[in-house]
Amino acid sequence: FPVTIWMASKVGVRHMPALQLSGLRHLIGGGIYVLYFGFFRKMWPQKNQIWQIIWMSVIMFVLSNGLSVLSIVYMPSGLGAVVGAITPIWVVLFSYLLFKRIHFKKETIIGIVLGFVGVVITFYDFVEEILNSDFSLGILYGVIASMTWALATLLTVKHAKKIDPYFSLGWQMFVSGILLNVYSLFIGDFVRYDQLPVDAWLSIFYLVIIGSVIAFGAYVYALKRLPATLVAIHSYINPIVAASYRDWE
């Protein structure tokens, strides 16, 4: 999913501002989760859960996903997927810094290093382009997005026992959707929805169903059953797929 989500985002940002696109996607996707838990499970946020939902929505969706979508305005989506592949390294570093009791197996460290080497090799074709000022800004956004995603991943695992992760995920998306849309409207970087062409709506539909509802739900499912470092290495597959779609752009 990740690379096709990058590609769908690339289509979307041709017709609307990146932060507005990200906000609309999560507003609708999160709304689906909220409606399900609210009306079928009769679950609504408790007072002691509200602040956790808000700051997690900022880290995981406003900063991480918002900046990742914004980054592809300044660089090809394939390169964006490669930058995102650095995420496992951040997971290991943050795990060590924030949860000092965690000890990694030698095989895990070797795997992370080999994955990083693979990222460097994939980046090789872009060495000259990286010096381009537009690419540099996109890479900066992408790196910050990967860092905040890694942090959000670890925090999701940490708080999974205190709050249903799917319930929390839905509200995080919903809240971040509101925040991103309000911010886009406030800075004047906003387009009317009745002006969007069919391509934009198809992109939004794909991002909502596949990118938000299914992909994030699957990610949480994996985090409940596997170590965060193992789940994060899915990022190493992205550059391989991205290379196949490089000519698409």
Side-chain angles (χ1 to χ4, degrees):
F1 291 145
V3 172
T4 57
I5 292 171
W6 278 97
M7 293 169 62
S9 298
K10 195 72 172 180
V11 173
V13 296
R14 293 173 183 168
H15 305 288
M16 63 191 303
L19 295 182
Q20 183 186 3
L21 172 65
S22 183
L24 179 61
R25 162 193 173 182
H26 295 313
L27 183 66
I28 300 174
I32 293 174
Y33 274 93
V34 168
L35 288 175
Y36 168 75
F37 279 100
F39 292 98
F40 292 97
R41 300 278 298 276
K42 307 300 181 183
M43 292 175 61
W44 300 95
Q46 303 299 312
K47 288 184 178 180
N48 62 333
Q49 298 173 336
I50 293 177
W51 280 114
Q52 178 182 324
I53 289 173
I54 292 175
W55 61 260
M56 279 293 292
S57 72
V58 172
I59 295 174
M60 191 166 193
F61 294 105
V62 175
L63 290 178
S64 180
N65 194 259
L67 289 178
S68 68
V69 175
L70 187 61
S71 71
I72 62 175
V73 175
Y74 302 98
M75 63 180 176
S77 56
L79 179 56
V82 172
V83 173
I86 306 174
T87 300
I89 297 174
W90 298 124
V91 170
V92 171
L93 290 177
F94 290 151
S95 295
Y96 177 76
L97 294 174
L98 300 178
F99 308 98
K100 297 185 182 296
R101 297 179 184 176
I102 294 180
H103 299 284
F104 298 102
K105 294 181 180 179
K106 182 171 61 177
E107 292 82 359
T108 301
I109 302 300
I110 293 175
I112 295 295
V113 172
L114 290 177
F116 179 73
V117 172
V119 170
V120 173
I121 293 174
T122 308
F123 256 123
Y124 183 78
D125 292 340
F126 293 97
V127 171
E128 293 184 2
E129 287 85 347
I130 288 175
L131 299 178
N132 180 291
S133 60
D134 284 346
F135 273 31
S136 298
L137 186 58
I139 290 171
L140 174 63
Y141 288 149
V143 170
I144 296 175
S146 69
M147 293 176 67
T148 50
W149 178 260
L151 180 60
T153 295
L154 295 171
L155 291 173
T156 297
V157 174
K158 179 180 179 181
H159 296 296
K161 295 180 179 179
K162 300 179 182 178
I163 182 173
D164 185 308
Y166 298 103
F167 172 76
S168 179
L169 172 72
W171 275 99
Q172 288 171 33
M173 284 196 288
F174 188 69
V175 170
S176 68
I178 295 174
L179 294 175
L180 286 168
N181 274 283
V182 169
Y183 178 74
S184 296
L185 186 62
F186 179 76
I187 65 175
D189 196 20
F190 196 90
V191 298
R192 290 173 48 181
Y193 292 120
D194 59 358
Q195 296 177 341
L196 296 177
V198 175
D199 283 354
W201 284 111
L202 289 175
S203 167
I204 293 168
F205 177 80
Y206 185 88
L207 290 171
V208 168
I209 302 301
I210 303 298
S212 291
V213 176
I214 296 178
F216 282 124
Y219 196 72
V220 169
Y221 180 88
L223 285 175
K224 290 179 66 177
R225 291 160 174 80
L226 298 170
T229 49
L230 182 58
V231 176
I233 62 174
H234 81 279
S235 300
Y236 288 149
I237 301 173
N238 296 348
I240 299 174
V241 183
S244 302
Y245 288 95
R246 192 173 297 173
D247 294 334
W248 181 83
E249 297 177 302

